[in-house]
Amino acid sequence: MTFLSNEAMKVTAELNNAYRTPEEIKLLMERLTGREFPEGAYMFPPFYTDCGKNLKLGKNVFINAGCQFQDQGGVTIGDGTLVGPKTVIATLNHHQNPQKRANLIPKPVAIGKNVWIGANVTILPGVTVGDGAIIAAGAVVTKDVAANTIVGGVPAKRIKAVDMDE
């Protein structure tokens, strides 16, 4: 874990501390994740992660500036998803018992296709977000979100279904 975290810090420092062309961003993200940066995917740095190797992005994903993905537990983001600025995706938790508190409990986060995540959203470990869902700005997502549903608030709750005619 320490090795991967240190490697991620090196790559993200290179990504975040100067202007980068789209091609440079692509190459740095490939180094960070260990996999090909998908067709049509794009990111506005800065971007932060504690690992990088457990991040799987779909085609045409857009990640806005200032996002922080704690991907040690695994983060998957489906095709066409838009991630708002300063989004936090967490995949690790700690035990409640103080004697075990330093131990990490990983749970993956899965985000479907064509999801829209607003600014300053936090998605907690183990959450699955269904295809076409919308997460309102500032929401804290603690439970799964059904496909084509709009959620918001702290903790996030269902607001309504996505209007497919809009």
Side-chain angles (χ1 to χ4, degrees):
M1 181 174 107
T2 302
F3 174 79
L4 289 177
S5 292
N6 284 324
E7 186 176 321
M9 283 189 283
K10 274 197 280 187
V11 176
T12 56
E14 194 173 337
L15 175 68
N16 296 335
N17 290 320
Y19 169 77
R20 300 291 173 208
T21 66
E23 182 59 31
E24 290 171 323
I25 291 169
K26 175 185 182 302
L27 293 172
L28 287 164
M29 287 302 292
E30 288 176 349
R31 271 183 43 209
L32 182 66
T33 63
R35 54 180 53 89
E36 188 175 331
F37 199 57
E39 173 187 327
Y42 197 69
M43 166 187 296
F44 287 167
F47 175 75
Y48 305 94
T49 185
D50 64 344
C51 180
K53 302 299 186 226
N54 298 317
L55 176 59
K56 296 176 186 148
L57 303 176
K59 294 178 182 174
N60 301 309
V61 166
F62 173 69
I63 300 170
N64 214 322
C67 291
Q68 184 167 345
F69 296 176
Q70 180 193 54
D71 71 295
Q72 289 185 42
V75 172
T76 303
I77 301 176
D79 295 346
T81 289
L82 307 173
V83 181
K86 298 185 180 175
T87 290
V88 173
I89 300 176
T91 65
L92 297 177
N93 215 335
H94 296 271
H95 284 272
Q96 290 183 22
N97 180 334
Q99 305 308 318
K100 298 179 181 179
R101 185 110 354 114
N103 297 337
L104 297 174
I105 304 167
K107 290 185 181 177
V109 169
I111 299 170
K113 296 177 180 178
N114 301 309
V115 172
W116 176 17
I117 300 170
N120 292 301
V121 166
T122 298
I123 300 175
L124 296 182
V127 168
T128 296
V129 177
D131 293 347
I134 298 173
I135 313 298
V140 176
V141 184
T142 61
K143 296 180 180 170
D144 291 353
V145 176
N148 300 311
T149 301
I150 301 172
V151 301
V154 180
K157 294 184 184 336
R158 184 184 189 280
I159 296 172
K160 66 179 188 173
V162 171
D163 184 352
M164 301 302 262
D165 295 325
E166 191 174 290

